[in-house]
Amino acid sequence: MALRPLLRRTDARRADAGGTTARRTVLRRAARLVGAAVLTLTGTLTAAGPAHADFGTGYHDPVTATKPLTRPDTRSCTVEVMHEREFRNGYGNPPDTPYTTTLTPPADCAGPWSAVVMDLHGQVAGRQFDRIFSVRVGGVQVLLSSTPEPSKDGIQWNVERDLTRYAPLFTAGPQPFSFDLANVTDATYTGVYKITASLTFYTANDRWPAAPGADRLLTTGPFALTQAAPTAGRELTFPQNLERLTAEVYARGGGACEEFAYASAPDAFVAANPSIGACGKGPFRELRLTVDGRVAGAVWPYPVIYTGGWDPLLWRPIPGIFGFDLPAYRLDLTPYVGLLLDGRPHTVGITVNASEAQSNDVWTGQVNLFAEVDHGTDRTSGRLTDYRVAPEATVGTELTDHGGGSGDWTVTAARHDLARGWVQTSHGRITTEVRDDLAFSSAQQLRDSGNDVTLRNGTDLTRTTAAWGGGPHHTTTVHEGEPLDVTYKVTRDAAGNTDQRTAMDLGYHREATTATGNHVTERSTVDHTLRPTAQRHDGDRTVRTGSSIEDYRSTGPEGPYHRTLSFVDGW
């Protein structure tokens, strides 16, 4: 992904998930929604001890093995839009978020651009939770991220984000700029986030040509899918010479259960074991994008874990995959273009599956639409000729309830969708076919009312777009694999000593190929794995220990990249 966080010193003492906290309490971290009032949901404050005997009081500057952006060496201009802006209380009267200003692209570096990059610099000191934040330009979401957790003395971090695909916003002239970070401070949670933001515009030349992209951007605006309103939508009018259309969906689950949706139990188990307070609706989540009520694509969100998730010691010093880079999920809507060319408004909607039957939960995000037009005519025409897209994924559940707060279950989900349509353009009739073959599986063993958990999740996504007519046959295939394994166990002995051990194996694997006819013209890969562990022991002695190994490999037009990081007790 294009976002690379560079974090500095993070000596944190905070309300961690302590060894006495059962798994259901670890998962129910609702503090992002209701602030410091839910201290008990995250465990007990732990006092600092000797180095390594109480890991967490000192460790290496947080780092990531992910590939940094490659920036053009062309002439560039930088515009600062926010300088050391403080975010203290997002729920005050009035709240101090979002921060808004006007972004004016620099006249000395007028487009078209080879690249546009946003840089963020943050500072915070004290004690604070990780907080979600978002950036919008011209009402279009361009970043969804989260903050690291600070140390008492303070941390600084930097984020870079490739905004090149949003170039139509900048060519339109000055745009509203919005930075939204809802923080909470009080006597316990003292960390105030101080953020600086700038955009750099890189001019084009023969070596770094102007980046191709959309002609126009449309957006649904922010959505919040809740128990009372699990669907949101907006009417949009599309250009009548539209030729191609792509959507991106920013989405994340929040609340007592949905942040950890990937670990939720089937409803039948929850109903039979009410005393353990497990989250229900199972571990599968699907957000469906609709056009005039017709399902046009599905997003299965990656199981993002933030730096306060399960046990904060897991993420020192390496943050979880996508923890600082929440994905924007891409869907090709070109087969539906023929339905949108009448010059009238059409409703683009988003809905989430049955998870929102749970209270105190919300899925938030935004849908952006990238429209490419035919510059050779004022009007195109088209038709959706083949539509085989399921209204919802096929889901199966196998459950064995052992009683006493113990059970085993396996949940699977699948989609095999196809949509085909043509658009009559000035350069011929172009037919586009989109196929999605998606598979999900989750196997979970829960014992001792949630104090002993084994979780094995896997998602396998293959999306293929083929286009023909008006030129050679082109095919693009993207395959993504998203494994997540978790083991979590809390034990207590007769003397009252407690021991908590957590281990994870996270992954993101991607292969993208582009072919003309039978000849592959471009191929790129990403293989990203992260294996953190953490242990907490309280009683006869105090132990805070952890380790992490991260490996990131990629190939593509820029050549191969490989980096491995390994840490024990943060060093």
Side-chain angles (χ1 to χ4, degrees), residues 18-73:
T20 61
T21 309
R23 175 254 192 187
R24 66 183 177 89
T25 340
V26 174
L27 299 187
R28 293 191 161 213
R29 288 187 67 244
R32 289 180 194 85
L33 295 182
V34 297
V38 291
L39 175 60
T40 57
L41 296 182
T42 56
T44 307
L45 287 172
T46 56
H52 298 279
D54 189 7
F55 164 52
T57 61
Y59 46 93
H60 186 280
D61 295 345
V63 294
T64 176
T66 55
K67 183 180 179 180
L69 290 179
T70 299
R71 303 196 185 208
D73 58 5

Side-chain angles (χ1 to χ4, degrees), residues 17 35 71 75 86 89 104 106 122 192 195 216 220 264 289 294 356 401 403 414 455 488 540:
R71 303 196 185 208
R75 183 171 57 87
E86 291 189 349
N89 191 348
T104 302
V192 176
I195 310 291
R216 183 178 169 189
T220 62
S264 292
L289 187 65
R294 185 196 310 257
E356 290 315 317
D401 191 339
L455 174 69
Y488 171 85
D540 53 3

Side-chain angles (χ1 to χ4, degrees), residues 264-305:
S264 292
D267 281 348
F269 181 82
V270 174
N273 298 271
S275 63
I276 70 173
C279 296
K281 302 306 170 187
F284 174 68
R285 295 295 179 269
E286 174 177 83
L287 283 88
R288 296 183 284 270
L289 187 65
T290 62
V291 176
D292 292 334
R294 185 196 310 257
V295 176
V299 167
W300 294 3
Y302 186 88
V304 177
I305 305 174

Side-chain angles (χ1 to χ4, degrees), residues 266-393:
D267 281 348
F269 181 82
V270 174
N273 298 271
S275 63
I276 70 173
C279 296
K281 302 306 170 187
F284 174 68
R285 295 295 179 269
E286 174 177 83
L287 283 88
R288 296 183 284 270
L289 187 65
T290 62
V291 176
D292 292 334
R294 185 196 310 257
V295 176
V299 167
W300 294 3
Y302 186 88
V304 177
I305 305 174
Y306 309 109
T307 54
W310 293 78
D311 188 330
L313 301 184
L314 295 165
W315 319 115
R316 299 173 178 171
I318 303 173
I321 294 177
F322 297 130
F324 293 88
D325 179 13
L326 277 70
Y329 304 96
R330 304 299 293 269
L331 299 172
D332 195 329
L333 303 183
T334 304
Y336 305 93
V337 164
L339 306 176
L340 307 173
L341 300 173
D342 55 11
R344 288 181 278 188
H346 294 268
T347 301
V348 176
I350 188 81
T351 186
V352 68
N353 63 353
S355 66
E356 290 315 317
Q358 298 179 142
S359 61
N360 193 35
D361 291 313
V362 61
W363 278 88
T364 57
Q366 189 160 341
V367 180
N368 299 327
L369 297 156
F370 296 78
E372 299 177 40
V373 303
D374 182 354
H375 294 278
T377 182
D378 294 331
R379 297 288 296 268
T380 54
S381 60
R383 179 176 297 175
L384 177 66
T385 58
D386 195 351
Y387 176 77
R388 286 175 273 168
V389 179
E392 58 187 55

